[in-house]
Amino acid sequence: MILKYPISIPDFLSTCKEMEHKPCFELVLSDLLYEHGVLQPEPFGLQGIRKVIEVYEQSLSLGKSSSKKEMPFFREHQLRLIGPELVPFSCSLYEESTSFTPAKNDLWISLDSEDLIDVCLGENLSLVCCKYDENEMLETFEPLLKQEYDKILFDEENTGFLPGSRFVSLLYKALFEWRPAVEQPRKEWRITSLNTPEEADYRWNGTTLKPMKAIQVPASYIRQIEIYPDYQQEPALYTALIGALKKVGLVPELLLTGLVE
């Protein structure tokens, strides 16, 4: 299956380099919680976990006073979840029939999912397909929550977990995979990674410090490069891009829309 990665022309060209005498480029994974930016409303997947808790507690006939639905998921004053201090990194790719549209004159980089799986295996990453059906996700998460529910310690003053709890892993799974039904036409996939803050990279973007993780992908994995929405609308840009691709060691005649025979 082909998955398409949107990237700006300057970002793509600036990350193209040689590793072991072979051209490669970067896929940049961003901190999902940082990108969300504020604690309210919570990221959609975490809202989903609260629904799972609510449904499960209803099956137990628990009263509101005993509910764990309102337990805090975030550390105080931080865009970090409770539990182990981990950064949830992700980058988005889309199926060919996606409704997602890149910014004008961005590039669509087409990659084969099998090649991406090879990259993920070598870098301890995961390639996941976003899920949009709420009933399906509730059915998926409820038995997982059932195993963890009694390991969650929560009252008005304290939140904690018994040894062996994997509840926080459920939070990250929902954060990465669970998306609103209205987004289903986007057909989004994600490359994901959980890293400690020490393992992350940090870049200053002119106004603030952003956590990120860059992974190197062999340029030989690129199946096609196209300018969105149409290279024919930008002949000057298209001409310059042909030369720029050659300069970074790529062969536009094999990759670039309009030149490929």
Side-chain angles (χ1 to χ4, degrees):
M1 176 176 56
I2 295 297
L3 296 175
K4 301 172 78 170
Y5 176 61
I7 186 172
S8 72
I9 291 175
D11 283 348
F12 178 71
L13 294 176
S14 68
T15 66
C16 287
K17 60 187 72 174
E18 279 199 357
M19 290 188 65
E20 300 178 355
H21 307 293
K22 295 181 180 179
C24 66
F25 74 101
E26 285 183 353
L27 287 179
V28 176
L29 282 62
S30 300
D31 177 353
L32 273 185
L33 297 177
Y34 182 100
E35 295 299 320
H36 185 74
V38 293
L39 299 182
Q40 295 296 334
E42 286 181 332
F44 188 81
L46 303 188
Q47 296 177 45
I49 291 293
R50 295 201 188 277
K51 290 182 180 179
V52 177
I53 295 174
E54 180 180 14
V55 170
Y56 180 64
E57 289 179 341
Q58 287 173 351
S59 72
L60 301 176
S61 300
L62 288 181
K64 185 175 181 180
S65 60
S66 303
S67 176
K68 299 175 183 178
K69 179 184 173 184
E70 301 304 325
M71 66 178 290
F73 289 165
F74 283 89
R75 298 173 180 226
E76 188 173 11
H77 307 307
Q78 295 186 49
L79 294 173
R80 289 283 169 263
L81 298 188
I82 53 176
E85 190 176 13
L86 295 171
V87 186
F89 286 114
S90 171
C91 75
S92 296
L93 304 100
Y94 304 90
E95 295 181 25
E96 291 184 283
S97 57
T98 181
S99 66
F100 174 83
T101 56
K104 183 179 180 181
N105 292 337
D106 273 4
L107 299 179
W108 268 130
I109 306 298
S110 294
L111 301 159
D112 191 289
S113 59
E114 294 298 321
D115 290 335
L116 291 171
I117 289 171
D118 285 344
V119 171
C120 289
L121 289 175
E123 298 284 345
N124 196 26
L125 307 167
S126 297
L127 178 64
V128 301
C129 178
C130 292
K131 312 295 194 306
Y132 304 95
D133 187 312
E134 180 173 305
N135 290 332
E136 178 185 335
M137 294 303 281
L138 290 172
E139 291 175 2
T140 297
F141 277 92
E142 186 174 0
L144 300 176
L145 175 70
K146 182 178 180 180
Q147 298 173 22
E148 304 300 324
Y149 187 82
D150 290 336
K151 301 175 188 176
I152 302 170
L153 308 176
F154 172 62
D155 57 35
E156 293 182 354
E157 296 182 356
N158 299 291
T159 301
F161 306 96
L162 294 178
S165 170
R166 294 184 55 80
F167 177 73
V168 176
S169 296
L170 298 187
L171 296 183
Y172 285 117
K173 178 177 174 63
L175 180 69
F176 285 136
E177 297 183 22
W178 198 343
R179 300 302 304 150
V182 70
E183 292 185 6
Q184 187 165 5
R186 291 163 65 100
K187 300 182 180 179
E188 181 179 358
W189 290 65
R190 287 174 169 176
I191 294 177
T192 66
S193 176
L194 286 171
N195 298 93
T196 65
E198 295 84 356
E199 294 171 324
D201 297 316
Y202 298 87
R203 290 181 182 174
W204 185 260
N205 69 354
T207 57
T208 189
L209 190 63
K210 297 187 66 172
M212 50 80 66
K213 179 179 177 66
I215 58 174
Q216 306 297 323
V217 178
S220 60
Y221 285 1
I222 299 175
R223 295 292 177 262
Q224 188 175 33
I225 299 173
E226 58 184 303
I227 299 175
Y228 182 86
D230 184 0
Y231 71 95
Q232 297 179 65
Q233 298 178 14
E234 301 286 347
L237 175 61
Y238 185 65
T239 303
L241 180 62
I242 293 169
L245 292 178
K246 291 179 179 179
K247 188 175 180 66
V248 297
L250 301 181
V251 182
E253 290 80 6
L254 299 177
L255 298 173
L256 190 60
T257 302
L259 289 183
V260 178
E261 294 184 358

